[in-house]
Amino acid sequence: MVENAEAGTLRLMHVHAHPDDESSKGAASTAKYVAEGVDVHVATCTGGERGSILNPAFEHPGILENPELIAEIRREEMDKAREILGITQDWLGFVDSGWPEGNPKPPLEEGCFALVPIEEAAAPLVRLIRSFRPHVLTTYDENGGYPHPDHIKCHEVSVYAFEAAADPERYPDLGEAWQVQKLYYHHGWSRARIEAINAAMERHGLESPYKDWLETREIDPEHEKRLTTRVPCSEYFEVRDRALIAHATQIDPNGFWFAVPREVQAEAWPTEDYELVKSFVDTQLPEDDLFAGLR
């Protein structure tokens, strides 16, 4: 458990479902804030025990048959990514729910994170919020960013804990109440961002990995309008990529994540994007800083 940050330091907490999510969602803005002296802490809900091996170059005998070995390796990967990003981190201790496949999908495994009652699932996060005392907390939207059961549960737990941590009558044995000042949702893959990157790739005569995506993927215009905050962080895309590569079971260094050159990304869309959901400080939209109104 982390100790309280020293007085006067801005504190930011990201709540993520699995190890690697902290590197694939908002990692460049994380690195930017760390460089500015912000104390950044990640709460990781599960150990990623049921994650698949998504990197075809990763080899480890027996790993797919041994969830405990997968969990151990993913902890080691998280150690590396944490060091690269310059953050602190806690595991909330829940078991990965997996990604059920089939039609209809099979039921989730008993005891997994997605099936834990909300009051129980939120307790370790409430304790952590009251210990770390963040000014800003980020998580996923109500769809989980994408509908993985752990991402949806992560959203539910984060919003519940954001409110509960501020109420001294709830979880009175988990520390002194703390009101987080701002709550954000990640907005990673907006259509506007993909269109901008796709156009930049075409301008440079490069093959875009998003062409088919733009032709086939449906969009929700109302959801796109919810973006409120774009944090400039392109100079930290390199740090983000190194943190991603640290998750060797999940990330193919020759794969999709790295199909667009960093300089093209920086030209087309030099920000990471968020939706301000709740604020107890005055701020003016749109923002370019998660700490707008707090500095």
mmCIF file of all heavy atoms in Angstrom, residues 56-105:
data_model
loop_
_atom_site.group_PDB
_atom_site.id
_atom_site.type_symbol
_atom_site.label_atom_id
_atom_site.label_comp_id
_atom_site.label_asym_id
_atom_site.label_seq_id
_atom_site.Cartn_x
_atom_site.Cartn_y
_atom_site.Cartn_z
ATOM 1 N N PRO A 56 2.941 -13.396 -31.060
ATOM 2 C CA PRO A 56 3.349 -14.683 -31.632
ATOM 3 C C PRO A 56 4.822 -15.002 -31.406
ATOM 4 O O PRO A 56 5.221 -16.167 -31.504
ATOM 5 C CB PRO A 56 3.041 -14.520 -33.132
ATOM 6 C CG PRO A 56 3.019 -13.049 -33.365
ATOM 7 C CD PRO A 56 2.494 -12.442 -32.099
ATOM 8 N N ALA A 57 5.620 -14.004 -31.081
ATOM 9 C CA ALA A 57 7.044 -14.247 -30.845
ATOM 10 C C ALA A 57 7.335 -14.663 -29.416
ATOM 11 O O ALA A 57 8.469 -15.055 -29.108
ATOM 12 C CB ALA A 57 7.850 -12.986 -31.190
ATOM 13 N N PHE A 58 6.326 -14.597 -28.538
ATOM 14 C CA PHE A 58 6.558 -14.943 -27.136
ATOM 15 C C PHE A 58 6.498 -16.455 -26.971
ATOM 16 O O PHE A 58 5.533 -17.094 -27.372
ATOM 17 C CB PHE A 58 5.522 -14.282 -26.232
ATOM 18 C CG PHE A 58 5.771 -14.517 -24.763
ATOM 19 C CD1 PHE A 58 6.594 -13.667 -24.045
ATOM 20 C CD2 PHE A 58 5.193 -15.602 -24.108
ATOM 21 C CE1 PHE A 58 6.835 -13.889 -22.694
ATOM 22 C CE2 PHE A 58 5.430 -15.827 -22.762
ATOM 23 C CZ PHE A 58 6.253 -14.970 -22.058
ATOM 24 N N GLU A 59 7.535 -17.012 -26.366
ATOM 25 C CA GLU A 59 7.578 -18.456 -26.147
ATOM 26 C C GLU A 59 7.931 -18.754 -24.699
ATOM 27 O O GLU A 59 8.896 -18.202 -24.164
ATOM 28 C CB GLU A 59 8.615 -19.111 -27.072
ATOM 29 C CG GLU A 59 8.271 -19.018 -28.551
ATOM 30 C CD GLU A 59 9.278 -19.757 -29.413
ATOM 31 O OE1 GLU A 59 10.170 -20.414 -28.839
ATOM 32 O OE2 GLU A 59 9.170 -19.673 -30.648
ATOM 33 N N HIS A 60 7.128 -19.590 -24.076
ATOM 34 C CA HIS A 60 7.422 -20.047 -22.723
ATOM 35 C C HIS A 60 6.712 -21.381 -22.543
ATOM 36 O O HIS A 60 5.485 -21.439 -22.518
ATOM 37 C CB HIS A 60 6.938 -19.039 -21.681
ATOM 38 C CG HIS A 60 7.530 -19.271 -20.320
ATOM 39 N ND1 HIS A 60 7.284 -20.407 -19.584
ATOM 40 C CD2 HIS A 60 8.371 -18.515 -19.581
ATOM 41 C CE1 HIS A 60 7.933 -20.323 -18.430
ATOM 42 N NE2 HIS A 60 8.602 -19.189 -18.404
ATOM 43 N N PRO A 61 7.440 -22.502 -22.453
ATOM 44 C CA PRO A 61 6.820 -23.830 -22.383
ATOM 45 C C PRO A 61 5.811 -23.927 -21.244
ATOM 46 O O PRO A 61 6.094 -23.552 -20.106
ATOM 47 C CB PRO A 61 8.011 -24.755 -22.147
ATOM 48 C CG PRO A 61 9.185 -24.015 -22.690
ATOM 49 C CD PRO A 61 8.912 -22.568 -22.432
ATOM 50 N N GLY A 62 4.630 -24.406 -21.584
ATOM 51 C CA GLY A 62 3.618 -24.699 -20.580
ATOM 52 C C GLY A 62 2.824 -23.516 -20.092
ATOM 53 O O GLY A 62 1.949 -23.670 -19.234
ATOM 54 N N ILE A 63 3.056 -22.325 -20.638
ATOM 55 C CA ILE A 63 2.408 -21.141 -20.073
ATOM 56 C C ILE A 63 0.890 -21.173 -20.242
ATOM 57 O O ILE A 63 0.152 -20.789 -19.332
ATOM 58 C CB ILE A 63 3.004 -19.845 -20.670
ATOM 59 C CG1 ILE A 63 2.467 -18.632 -19.921
ATOM 60 C CG2 ILE A 63 2.743 -19.737 -22.160
ATOM 61 C CD1 ILE A 63 3.141 -17.335 -20.275
ATOM 62 N N LEU A 64 0.411 -21.673 -21.391
ATOM 63 C CA LEU A 64 -1.024 -21.648 -21.628
ATOM 64 C C LEU A 64 -1.782 -22.615 -20.723
ATOM 65 O O LEU A 64 -2.971 -22.442 -20.479
ATOM 66 C CB LEU A 64 -1.319 -21.973 -23.092
ATOM 67 C CG LEU A 64 -0.873 -20.899 -24.094
ATOM 68 C CD1 LEU A 64 -1.124 -21.380 -25.513
ATOM 69 C CD2 LEU A 64 -1.601 -19.591 -23.841
ATOM 70 N N GLU A 65 -1.071 -23.627 -20.225
ATOM 71 C CA GLU A 65 -1.716 -24.609 -19.355
ATOM 72 C C GLU A 65 -1.592 -24.242 -17.882
ATOM 73 O O GLU A 65 -2.085 -24.977 -17.028
ATOM 74 C CB GLU A 65 -1.089 -25.993 -19.579
ATOM 75 C CG GLU A 65 -1.296 -26.573 -20.974
ATOM 76 C CD GLU A 65 -0.422 -25.917 -22.033
ATOM 77 O OE1 GLU A 65 0.753 -25.580 -21.709
ATOM 78 O OE2 GLU A 65 -0.901 -25.704 -23.152
ATOM 79 N N ASN A 66 -0.952 -23.130 -17.579
ATOM 80 C CA ASN A 66 -0.646 -22.807 -16.185
ATOM 81 C C ASN A 66 -1.001 -21.349 -15.881
ATOM 82 O O ASN A 66 -0.178 -20.452 -16.041
ATOM 83 C CB ASN A 66 0.851 -23.049 -15.919
ATOM 84 C CG ASN A 66 1.193 -22.961 -14.445
ATOM 85 O OD1 ASN A 66 0.446 -22.388 -13.646
ATOM 86 N ND2 ASN A 66 2.328 -23.519 -14.078
ATOM 87 N N PRO A 67 -2.246 -21.109 -15.400
ATOM 88 C CA PRO A 67 -2.648 -19.732 -15.085
ATOM 89 C C PRO A 67 -1.753 -19.060 -14.056
ATOM 90 O O PRO A 67 -1.542 -17.840 -14.113
ATOM 91 C CB PRO A 67 -4.082 -19.898 -14.559
ATOM 92 C CG PRO A 67 -4.555 -21.188 -15.130
ATOM 93 C CD PRO A 67 -3.335 -22.066 -15.219
ATOM 94 N N GLU A 68 -1.219 -19.841 -13.106
ATOM 95 C CA GLU A 68 -0.339 -19.241 -12.097
ATOM 96 C C GLU A 68 0.942 -18.719 -12.737
ATOM 97 O O GLU A 68 1.464 -17.670 -12.336
ATOM 98 C CB GLU A 68 -0.012 -20.259 -11.004
ATOM 99 C CG GLU A 68 -1.205 -20.608 -10.127
ATOM 100 C CD GLU A 68 -0.824 -21.537 -8.990
ATOM 101 O OE1 GLU A 68 0.383 -21.804 -8.811
ATOM 102 O OE2 GLU A 68 -1.741 -21.990 -8.287
ATOM 103 N N LEU A 69 1.452 -19.442 -13.741
ATOM 104 C CA LEU A 69 2.655 -18.996 -14.437
ATOM 105 C C LEU A 69 2.364 -17.744 -15.251
ATOM 106 O O LEU A 69 3.178 -16.813 -15.279
ATOM 107 C CB LEU A 69 3.176 -20.110 -15.344
ATOM 108 C CG LEU A 69 4.462 -19.813 -16.129
ATOM 109 C CD1 LEU A 69 5.597 -19.422 -15.206
ATOM 110 C CD2 LEU A 69 4.854 -21.023 -16.973
ATOM 111 N N ILE A 70 1.200 -17.707 -15.906
ATOM 112 C CA ILE A 70 0.819 -16.505 -16.649
ATOM 113 C C ILE A 70 0.765 -15.307 -15.710
ATOM 114 O O ILE A 70 1.286 -14.229 -16.012
ATOM 115 C CB ILE A 70 -0.536 -16.702 -17.356
ATOM 116 C CG1 ILE A 70 -0.409 -17.714 -18.495
ATOM 117 C CG2 ILE A 70 -1.066 -15.366 -17.897
ATOM 118 C CD1 ILE A 70 -1.710 -17.995 -19.217
ATOM 119 N N ALA A 71 0.134 -15.491 -14.543
ATOM 120 C CA ALA A 71 0.024 -14.390 -13.584
ATOM 121 C C ALA A 71 1.401 -13.922 -13.135
ATOM 122 O O ALA A 71 1.641 -12.714 -13.011
ATOM 123 C CB ALA A 71 -0.810 -14.831 -12.387
ATOM 124 N N GLU A 72 2.311 -14.864 -12.897
ATOM 125 C CA GLU A 72 3.665 -14.499 -12.458
ATOM 126 C C GLU A 72 4.389 -13.699 -13.538
ATOM 127 O O GLU A 72 5.025 -12.671 -13.256
ATOM 128 C CB GLU A 72 4.450 -15.771 -12.129
ATOM 129 C CG GLU A 72 5.875 -15.525 -11.682
ATOM 130 C CD GLU A 72 6.638 -16.814 -11.437
ATOM 131 O OE1 GLU A 72 5.991 -17.864 -11.208
ATOM 132 O OE2 GLU A 72 7.881 -16.776 -11.486
ATOM 133 N N ILE A 73 4.294 -14.151 -14.783
ATOM 134 C CA ILE A 73 4.969 -13.454 -15.875
ATOM 135 C C ILE A 73 4.360 -12.070 -16.088
ATOM 136 O O ILE A 73 5.076 -11.085 -16.314
ATOM 137 C CB ILE A 73 4.901 -14.288 -17.162
ATOM 138 C CG1 ILE A 73 5.788 -15.532 -17.013
ATOM 139 C CG2 ILE A 73 5.343 -13.470 -18.378
ATOM 140 C CD1 ILE A 73 5.671 -16.519 -18.143
ATOM 141 N N ARG A 74 3.047 -11.974 -15.974
ATOM 142 C CA ARG A 74 2.415 -10.676 -16.183
ATOM 143 C C ARG A 74 2.752 -9.696 -15.055
ATOM 144 O O ARG A 74 2.817 -8.484 -15.267
ATOM 145 C CB ARG A 74 0.902 -10.842 -16.353
ATOM 146 C CG ARG A 74 0.565 -11.663 -17.602
ATOM 147 C CD ARG A 74 -0.843 -11.472 -18.073
ATOM 148 N NE ARG A 74 -1.021 -10.140 -18.676
ATOM 149 C CZ ARG A 74 -2.175 -9.712 -19.174
ATOM 150 N NH1 ARG A 74 -3.244 -10.485 -19.151
ATOM 151 N NH2 ARG A 74 -2.271 -8.503 -19.695
ATOM 152 N N ARG A 75 3.011 -10.215 -13.859
ATOM 153 C CA ARG A 75 3.490 -9.346 -12.775
ATOM 154 C C ARG A 75 4.892 -8.820 -13.091
ATOM 155 O O ARG A 75 5.203 -7.647 -12.831
ATOM 156 C CB ARG A 75 3.497 -10.100 -11.448
ATOM 157 C CG ARG A 75 2.136 -10.172 -10.775
ATOM 158 C CD ARG A 75 2.180 -10.941 -9.460
ATOM 159 N NE ARG A 75 0.903 -10.855 -8.790
ATOM 160 C CZ ARG A 75 0.568 -9.938 -7.885
ATOM 161 N NH1 ARG A 75 1.463 -9.024 -7.540
ATOM 162 N NH2 ARG A 75 -0.620 -9.920 -7.317
ATOM 163 N N GLU A 76 5.724 -9.687 -13.631
ATOM 164 C CA GLU A 76 7.076 -9.258 -14.013
ATOM 165 C C GLU A 76 7.011 -8.204 -15.117
ATOM 166 O O GLU A 76 7.773 -7.228 -15.104
ATOM 167 C CB GLU A 76 7.886 -10.471 -14.473
ATOM 168 C CG GLU A 76 8.211 -11.455 -13.357
ATOM 169 C CD GLU A 76 8.843 -12.731 -13.871
ATOM 170 O OE1 GLU A 76 8.982 -12.870 -15.109
ATOM 171 O OE2 GLU A 76 9.193 -13.592 -13.030
ATOM 172 N N GLU A 77 6.108 -8.397 -16.069
ATOM 173 C CA GLU A 77 5.934 -7.405 -17.129
ATOM 174 C C GLU A 77 5.468 -6.066 -16.549
ATOM 175 O O GLU A 77 5.928 -4.995 -16.962
ATOM 176 C CB GLU A 77 4.923 -7.916 -18.156
ATOM 177 C CG GLU A 77 5.407 -9.123 -18.952
ATOM 178 C CD GLU A 77 4.326 -9.732 -19.822
ATOM 179 O OE1 GLU A 77 3.128 -9.394 -19.648
ATOM 180 O OE2 GLU A 77 4.666 -10.568 -20.682
ATOM 181 N N MET A 78 4.552 -6.139 -15.585
ATOM 182 C CA MET A 78 4.055 -4.924 -14.954
ATOM 183 C C MET A 78 5.170 -4.202 -14.216
ATOM 184 O O MET A 78 5.242 -2.959 -14.235
ATOM 185 C CB MET A 78 2.915 -5.281 -13.994
ATOM 186 C CG MET A 78 2.241 -4.092 -13.344
ATOM 187 S SD MET A 78 1.262 -3.102 -14.494
ATOM 188 C CE MET A 78 1.926 -1.484 -14.142
ATOM 189 N N ASP A 79 6.051 -4.954 -13.581
ATOM 190 C CA ASP A 79 7.207 -4.344 -12.898
ATOM 191 C C ASP A 79 8.028 -3.511 -13.875
ATOM 192 O O ASP A 79 8.449 -2.391 -13.568
ATOM 193 C CB ASP A 79 8.093 -5.423 -12.275
ATOM 194 C CG ASP A 79 7.467 -6.083 -11.062
ATOM 195 O OD1 ASP A 79 6.483 -5.537 -10.521
ATOM 196 O OD2 ASP A 79 7.968 -7.152 -10.656
ATOM 197 N N LYS A 80 8.275 -4.072 -15.062
ATOM 198 C CA LYS A 80 9.073 -3.367 -16.069
ATOM 199 C C LYS A 80 8.352 -2.121 -16.566
ATOM 200 O O LYS A 80 8.952 -1.044 -16.693
ATOM 201 C CB LYS A 80 9.385 -4.310 -17.241
ATOM 202 C CG LYS A 80 10.276 -5.485 -16.869
ATOM 203 C CD LYS A 80 10.426 -6.446 -18.053
ATOM 204 C CE LYS A 80 11.230 -7.676 -17.656
ATOM 205 N NZ LYS A 80 11.292 -8.670 -18.767
ATOM 206 N N ALA A 81 7.066 -2.253 -16.867
ATOM 207 C CA ALA A 81 6.303 -1.110 -17.370
ATOM 208 C C ALA A 81 6.207 -0.010 -16.320
ATOM 209 O O ALA A 81 6.310 1.181 -16.646
ATOM 210 C CB ALA A 81 4.906 -1.563 -17.798
ATOM 211 N N ARG A 82 6.013 -0.400 -15.089
ATOM 212 C CA ARG A 82 5.927 0.571 -13.991
ATOM 213 C C ARG A 82 7.212 1.386 -13.880
ATOM 214 O O ARG A 82 7.181 2.610 -13.711
ATOM 215 C CB ARG A 82 5.645 -0.168 -12.690
ATOM 216 C CG ARG A 82 5.471 0.727 -11.477
ATOM 217 C CD ARG A 82 5.021 -0.068 -10.270
ATOM 218 N NE ARG A 82 5.994 -1.062 -9.868
ATOM 219 C CZ ARG A 82 5.741 -2.360 -9.733
ATOM 220 N NH1 ARG A 82 4.536 -2.835 -9.996
ATOM 221 N NH2 ARG A 82 6.678 -3.190 -9.350
ATOM 222 N N GLU A 83 8.340 0.703 -14.026
ATOM 223 C CA GLU A 83 9.630 1.384 -13.946
ATOM 224 C C GLU A 83 9.811 2.339 -15.125
ATOM 225 O O GLU A 83 10.307 3.458 -14.965
ATOM 226 C CB GLU A 83 10.747 0.342 -13.932
ATOM 227 C CG GLU A 83 12.085 0.890 -13.521
ATOM 228 C CD GLU A 83 13.106 -0.215 -13.279
ATOM 229 O OE1 GLU A 83 12.758 -1.213 -12.611
ATOM 230 O OE2 GLU A 83 14.223 -0.076 -13.775
ATOM 231 N N ILE A 84 9.402 1.921 -16.318
ATOM 232 C CA ILE A 84 9.534 2.763 -17.504
ATOM 233 C C ILE A 84 8.680 4.026 -17.367
ATOM 234 O O ILE A 84 9.126 5.132 -17.702
ATOM 235 C CB ILE A 84 9.134 1.969 -18.763
ATOM 236 C CG1 ILE A 84 10.188 0.891 -19.066
ATOM 237 C CG2 ILE A 84 8.961 2.895 -19.971
ATOM 238 C CD1 ILE A 84 9.716 -0.150 -20.062
ATOM 239 N N LEU A 85 7.465 3.874 -16.853
ATOM 240 C CA LEU A 85 6.552 5.008 -16.749
ATOM 241 C C LEU A 85 6.849 5.898 -15.542
ATOM 242 O O LEU A 85 6.393 7.042 -15.504
ATOM 243 C CB LEU A 85 5.102 4.508 -16.671
ATOM 244 C CG LEU A 85 4.556 3.863 -17.946
ATOM 245 C CD1 LEU A 85 3.200 3.225 -17.681
ATOM 246 C CD2 LEU A 85 4.451 4.883 -19.071
ATOM 247 N N GLY A 86 7.566 5.375 -14.556
ATOM 248 C CA GLY A 86 7.890 6.165 -13.375
ATOM 249 C C GLY A 86 6.740 6.306 -12.399
ATOM 250 O O GLY A 86 6.635 7.303 -11.678
ATOM 251 N N ILE A 87 5.875 5.292 -12.355
ATOM 252 C CA ILE A 87 4.684 5.328 -11.505
ATOM 253 C C ILE A 87 4.829 4.383 -10.323
ATOM 254 O O ILE A 87 5.753 3.570 -10.267
ATOM 255 C CB ILE A 87 3.434 4.927 -12.314
ATOM 256 C CG1 ILE A 87 3.606 3.486 -12.854
ATOM 257 C CG2 ILE A 87 3.191 5.910 -13.449
ATOM 258 C CD1 ILE A 87 2.371 2.924 -13.535
ATOM 259 N N THR A 88 3.891 4.493 -9.384
ATOM 260 C CA THR A 88 3.696 3.466 -8.372
ATOM 261 C C THR A 88 2.421 2.709 -8.734
ATOM 262 O O THR A 88 1.614 3.176 -9.555
ATOM 263 C CB THR A 88 3.593 4.066 -6.968
ATOM 264 O OG1 THR A 88 2.584 5.092 -6.970
ATOM 265 C CG2 THR A 88 4.928 4.659 -6.538
ATOM 266 N N GLN A 89 2.224 1.542 -8.112
ATOM 267 C CA GLN A 89 1.108 0.698 -8.535
ATOM 268 C C GLN A 89 0.713 -0.256 -7.425
ATOM 269 O O GLN A 89 1.547 -0.695 -6.639
ATOM 270 C CB GLN A 89 1.505 -0.088 -9.790
ATOM 271 C CG GLN A 89 0.427 -0.963 -10.377
ATOM 272 C CD GLN A 89 0.744 -2.451 -10.256
ATOM 273 O OE1 GLN A 89 1.841 -2.819 -9.819
ATOM 274 N NE2 GLN A 89 -0.196 -3.300 -10.612
ATOM 275 N N ASP A 90 -0.582 -0.570 -7.352
ATOM 276 C CA ASP A 90 -1.111 -1.591 -6.452
ATOM 277 C C ASP A 90 -2.003 -2.550 -7.227
ATOM 278 O O ASP A 90 -2.707 -2.148 -8.166
ATOM 279 C CB ASP A 90 -1.949 -0.968 -5.326
ATOM 280 C CG ASP A 90 -1.128 -0.635 -4.099
ATOM 281 O OD1 ASP A 90 -0.549 -1.564 -3.511
ATOM 282 O OD2 ASP A 90 -1.060 0.551 -3.720
ATOM 283 N N TRP A 91 -1.966 -3.810 -6.814
ATOM 284 C CA TRP A 91 -2.897 -4.814 -7.328
ATOM 285 C C TRP A 91 -4.102 -4.853 -6.384
ATOM 286 O O TRP A 91 -3.937 -4.962 -5.174
ATOM 287 C CB TRP A 91 -2.247 -6.193 -7.346
ATOM 288 C CG TRP A 91 -0.980 -6.262 -8.145
ATOM 289 C CD1 TRP A 91 0.289 -6.082 -7.703
ATOM 290 C CD2 TRP A 91 -0.871 -6.544 -9.546
ATOM 291 N NE1 TRP A 91 1.186 -6.228 -8.724
ATOM 292 C CE2 TRP A 91 0.512 -6.517 -9.871
ATOM 293 C CE3 TRP A 91 -1.802 -6.823 -10.550
ATOM 294 C CZ2 TRP A 91 0.973 -6.754 -11.168
ATOM 295 C CZ3 TRP A 91 -1.337 -7.053 -11.836
ATOM 296 C CH2 TRP A 91 0.030 -7.026 -12.136
ATOM 297 N N LEU A 92 -5.316 -4.777 -6.936
ATOM 298 C CA LEU A 92 -6.491 -4.858 -6.082
ATOM 299 C C LEU A 92 -6.810 -6.300 -5.696
ATOM 300 O O LEU A 92 -7.581 -6.535 -4.774
ATOM 301 C CB LEU A 92 -7.699 -4.208 -6.763
ATOM 302 C CG LEU A 92 -7.551 -2.703 -7.039
ATOM 303 C CD1 LEU A 92 -8.897 -2.117 -7.473
ATOM 304 C CD2 LEU A 92 -6.996 -1.944 -5.842
ATOM 305 N N GLY A 93 -6.232 -7.268 -6.425
ATOM 306 C CA GLY A 93 -6.269 -8.646 -5.952
ATOM 307 C C GLY A 93 -7.369 -9.529 -6.504
ATOM 308 O O GLY A 93 -7.562 -10.642 -6.009
ATOM 309 N N PHE A 94 -8.053 -9.083 -7.539
ATOM 310 C CA PHE A 94 -9.142 -9.889 -8.090
ATOM 311 C C PHE A 94 -8.650 -10.755 -9.249
ATOM 312 O O PHE A 94 -7.587 -10.525 -9.813
ATOM 313 C CB PHE A 94 -10.285 -8.979 -8.545
ATOM 314 C CG PHE A 94 -10.903 -8.206 -7.406
ATOM 315 C CD1 PHE A 94 -10.624 -6.860 -7.232
ATOM 316 C CD2 PHE A 94 -11.717 -8.841 -6.489
ATOM 317 C CE1 PHE A 94 -11.171 -6.152 -6.179
ATOM 318 C CE2 PHE A 94 -12.268 -8.143 -5.422
ATOM 319 C CZ PHE A 94 -11.994 -6.791 -5.266
ATOM 320 N N VAL A 95 -9.456 -11.768 -9.583
ATOM 321 C CA VAL A 95 -9.091 -12.747 -10.612
ATOM 322 C C VAL A 95 -9.700 -12.348 -11.949
ATOM 323 O O VAL A 95 -10.899 -12.048 -12.044
ATOM 324 C CB VAL A 95 -9.571 -14.159 -10.211
ATOM 325 C CG1 VAL A 95 -9.275 -15.164 -11.320
ATOM 326 C CG2 VAL A 95 -8.916 -14.597 -8.906
ATOM 327 N N ASP A 96 -8.875 -12.344 -12.966
ATOM 328 C CA ASP A 96 -9.277 -12.045 -14.343
ATOM 329 C C ASP A 96 -10.509 -12.869 -14.729
ATOM 330 O O ASP A 96 -10.574 -14.073 -14.478
ATOM 331 C CB ASP A 96 -8.084 -12.398 -15.252
ATOM 332 C CG ASP A 96 -8.247 -11.941 -16.687
ATOM 333 O OD1 ASP A 96 -9.372 -11.685 -17.125
ATOM 334 O OD2 ASP A 96 -7.208 -11.859 -17.373
ATOM 335 N N SER A 97 -11.487 -12.205 -15.354
ATOM 336 C CA SER A 97 -12.714 -12.895 -15.766
ATOM 337 C C SER A 97 -12.584 -13.589 -17.105
ATOM 338 O O SER A 97 -13.439 -14.392 -17.468
ATOM 339 C CB SER A 97 -13.878 -11.888 -15.838
ATOM 340 O OG SER A 97 -14.036 -11.230 -14.611
ATOM 341 N N GLY A 98 -11.529 -13.260 -17.865
ATOM 342 C CA GLY A 98 -11.388 -13.843 -19.189
ATOM 343 C C GLY A 98 -12.316 -13.171 -20.190
ATOM 344 O O GLY A 98 -13.131 -12.309 -19.858
ATOM 345 N N TRP A 99 -12.150 -13.562 -21.446
ATOM 346 C CA TRP A 99 -12.969 -13.022 -22.539
ATOM 347 C C TRP A 99 -13.778 -14.179 -23.100
ATOM 348 O O TRP A 99 -13.316 -14.925 -23.963
ATOM 349 C CB TRP A 99 -12.076 -12.388 -23.599
ATOM 350 C CG TRP A 99 -12.783 -11.835 -24.791
ATOM 351 C CD1 TRP A 99 -12.739 -12.338 -26.063
ATOM 352 C CD2 TRP A 99 -13.636 -10.695 -24.855
ATOM 353 N NE1 TRP A 99 -13.509 -11.551 -26.908
ATOM 354 C CE2 TRP A 99 -14.068 -10.544 -26.200
ATOM 355 C CE3 TRP A 99 -14.079 -9.769 -23.891
ATOM 356 C CZ2 TRP A 99 -14.918 -9.521 -26.599
ATOM 357 C CZ3 TRP A 99 -14.925 -8.741 -24.302
ATOM 358 C CH2 TRP A 99 -15.335 -8.633 -25.638
ATOM 359 N N PRO A 100 -15.009 -14.397 -22.608
ATOM 360 C CA PRO A 100 -15.794 -15.561 -23.057
ATOM 361 C C PRO A 100 -16.132 -15.469 -24.537
ATOM 362 O O PRO A 100 -16.517 -14.410 -25.039
ATOM 363 C CB PRO A 100 -17.048 -15.495 -22.187
ATOM 364 C CG PRO A 100 -17.138 -14.067 -21.742
ATOM 365 C CD PRO A 100 -15.735 -13.562 -21.651
ATOM 366 N N GLU A 101 -15.978 -16.583 -25.241
ATOM 367 C CA GLU A 101 -16.252 -16.618 -26.673
ATOM 368 C C GLU A 101 -17.302 -17.670 -26.972
ATOM 369 O O GLU A 101 -17.382 -18.708 -26.313
ATOM 370 C CB GLU A 101 -14.966 -16.932 -27.446
ATOM 371 C CG GLU A 101 -13.893 -15.852 -27.283
ATOM 372 C CD GLU A 101 -12.685 -16.115 -28.157
ATOM 373 O OE1 GLU A 101 -12.853 -16.159 -29.387
ATOM 374 O OE2 GLU A 101 -11.597 -16.298 -27.604
ATOM 375 N N GLY A 102 -18.086 -17.399 -27.996
ATOM 376 C CA GLY A 102 -19.133 -18.335 -28.397
ATOM 377 C C GLY A 102 -20.442 -17.610 -28.596
ATOM 378 O O GLY A 102 -20.585 -16.427 -28.270
ATOM 379 N N ASN A 103 -21.419 -18.304 -29.140
ATOM 380 C CA ASN A 103 -22.746 -17.738 -29.352
ATOM 381 C C ASN A 103 -23.798 -18.794 -29.033
ATOM 382 O O ASN A 103 -24.030 -19.695 -29.839
ATOM 383 C CB ASN A 103 -22.893 -17.243 -30.790
ATOM 384 C CG ASN A 103 -24.171 -16.463 -31.004
ATOM 385 O OD1 ASN A 103 -24.801 -16.032 -30.040
ATOM 386 N ND2 ASN A 103 -24.579 -16.308 -32.263
ATOM 387 N N PRO A 104 -24.370 -18.746 -27.852
ATOM 388 C CA PRO A 104 -24.192 -17.723 -26.817
ATOM 389 C C PRO A 104 -22.861 -17.890 -26.088
ATOM 390 O O PRO A 104 -22.266 -18.967 -26.107
ATOM 391 C CB PRO A 104 -25.371 -17.977 -25.874
ATOM 392 C CG PRO A 104 -25.613 -19.448 -26.007
ATOM 393 C CD PRO A 104 -25.340 -19.788 -27.446
ATOM 394 N N LYS A 105 -22.414 -16.824 -25.431
ATOM 395 C CA LYS A 105 -21.174 -16.894 -24.680
ATOM 396 C C LYS A 105 -21.363 -17.757 -23.435
ATOM 397 O O LYS A 105 -22.432 -17.740 -22.812
ATOM 398 C CB LYS A 105 -20.717 -15.492 -24.272
ATOM 399 C CG LYS A 105 -20.277 -14.640 -25.456
ATOM 400 C CD LYS A 105 -19.721 -13.303 -25.002
ATOM 401 C CE LYS A 105 -19.196 -12.520 -26.198
ATOM 402 N NZ LYS A 105 -18.577 -11.239 -25.790
#
